[in-house]
Amino acid sequence: MSERWKYQLKVGLPWGIFMSIVMIFFGVNDRPFTEQIQSQFFYIQTVGFLLFGVFVLGYSSWKSKIRREGKK
């Protein structure tokens, strides 16, 4: 696996997991925790956060890392 993909996974996966957890806590007032975890929307949203984190945030973070290293 290339260094870029390792970096993108290292940045994107924790962000996606963190955002899923945060969204659960924001929704506790509307629906109980167990009901949120059992819903199909939760899993679709989690996959969306993970994909966005890996492909968009990870890639943009990788590009900025390369630019920073190039300036040194």
Side-chain angles (χ1 to χ4, degrees), residues 5 7 14 33 40 51-52 60 69:
W5 280 107
Y7 186 82
F33 176 77
Q40 182 180 6
L51 291 175
F52 183 81
S60 64
E69 290 176 353

Side-chain angles (χ1 to χ4, degrees), residues 17-47 49:
I17 293 168
F18 174 76
M19 286 304 297
S20 296
I21 292 169
V22 167
M23 293 307 290
I24 287 173
F25 287 126
F26 278 122
V28 168
N29 293 336
D30 300 333
R31 295 186 340 202
F33 176 77
T34 54
E35 187 179 322
Q36 288 184 50
I37 296 294
Q38 293 173 351
S39 71
Q40 182 180 6
F41 178 74
F42 169 74
Y43 292 106
I44 293 170
Q45 184 180 21
T46 301
V47 168
F49 282 138

Side-chain angles (χ1 to χ4, degrees), residues 49-68:
F49 282 138
L50 291 173
L51 291 175
F52 183 81
V54 170
F55 289 106
V56 177
L57 292 178
Y59 182 73
S60 64
S61 180
W62 171 258
K63 286 303 226 181
S64 64
K65 177 184 176 212
I66 295 299
R67 274 187 249 127
R68 277 192 315 265

